[in-house]
Amino acid sequence: PLLQGSGYVSAAAEERSARLNREAAFLDFQHGLSSILLKSVETYWDYKAKAEYLNTLRRSEKRVQGWIDSAETTMDGSLQGFLEDKKGKVVDGVQQVEESKIALANSMGIPADQAELLGSPTADFPLEWGAVLAAFDSRTMKQKWIAEALEKRLDLKATQLRLQAAEVQLAKARNDVQARL
């Protein structure tokens, strides 16, 4: 008790704490990268969904235009009003696609003025999810996924390392309160 500041606890505390904080910072960096990747994937699929919706709107507009072209000239203006509504929805769809393309570019680190370089989304949506989802026992899978997330989440690991670093500093502080020889 008379050897304040000596021993492994005090002598190695700064180095151990610095090492743990460095590991925590690296895990934070990796977590940041995975967050950017997740956001990019989410914005890509949003872009794909909006592009598919726009294609559906355009097909619908063409179908109504075909009705008008094949109808007799004595029809009332209700079908023309329906076509104008479809055209308005197509314009809104184009705007949504452009906004989602810019969001994708931003999440990927591409300036918004260069978003046109992305082109159209090419991957297709996965089909036949009914059989895949039916194979999962939701309760068991939920517990498994929670356990796996707690085990693998980098931000939680970084927090645990910071907690360990704080415990090292606390042990040093308690050791250094002893009387000096």
Side-chain angles (χ1 to χ4, degrees):
L2 297 178
L3 298 175
Q4 177 190 30
S6 65
Y8 177 75
V9 171
S10 291
E14 292 298 324
E15 182 181 351
R16 287 181 54 215
S17 178
R19 180 183 50 80
L20 291 170
N21 280 322
R22 182 200 168 280
E23 289 176 24
F26 181 71
L27 290 176
D28 281 338
F29 174 72
Q30 287 183 319
H31 178 70
L33 289 177
S34 63
S35 296
I36 290 170
L37 181 61
L38 176 62
K39 182 166 177 58
S40 296
V41 168
E42 288 173 346
T43 54
Y44 172 80
W45 288 113
D46 181 60
Y47 177 42
K48 175 66 175 179
K50 300 256 173 77
E52 288 291 322
Y53 179 64
L54 178 61
N55 290 337
T56 302
L57 290 173
R58 286 183 172 151
R59 284 193 304 271
S60 177
E61 178 189 15
K62 285 181 184 176
R63 187 171 44 251
V64 172
Q65 183 65 54
W67 294 343
I68 290 174
D69 293 344
S70 66
E72 297 178 10
T73 58
T74 60
M75 66 177 193
D76 61 10
S78 63
L79 201 53
Q80 187 63 36
F82 190 52
L83 177 63
E84 293 304 318
D85 180 57
K86 293 291 182 186
K87 287 181 180 181
K89 287 182 179 180
V90 167
V91 170
D92 290 342
V94 169
Q95 183 176 355
Q96 289 177 1
V97 167
E98 289 304 313
E99 288 172 359
S100 62
K101 184 188 285 190
I102 289 171
L104 175 59
N106 286 338
S107 69
M108 294 173 60
I110 298 171
D113 61 345
Q114 297 178 4
E116 286 302 318
L117 299 175
L118 292 177
S120 298
T122 57
D124 290 329
F125 286 114
L127 301 176
E128 302 300 327
W129 277 99
V132 174
L133 294 176
F136 289 123
D137 175 20
S138 64
R139 204 171 333 136
T140 306
M141 294 305 291
K142 183 178 178 182
Q143 292 171 349
K144 177 184 173 192
W145 289 337
I146 289 172
E148 190 173 327
L150 290 174
E151 177 187 329
K152 293 183 179 180
R153 283 205 40 188
L154 298 174
D155 57 336
L156 296 179
K157 285 182 178 182
T159 302
Q160 288 174 339
L161 288 173
R162 280 196 195 81
L163 181 61
Q164 289 175 8
E167 288 171 355
V168 166
Q169 290 296 330
L170 178 62
K172 178 187 181 326
R174 285 186 177 145
N175 190 45
D176 289 351
V177 172
Q178 299 177 14
R180 204 174 207 149
L181 183 62

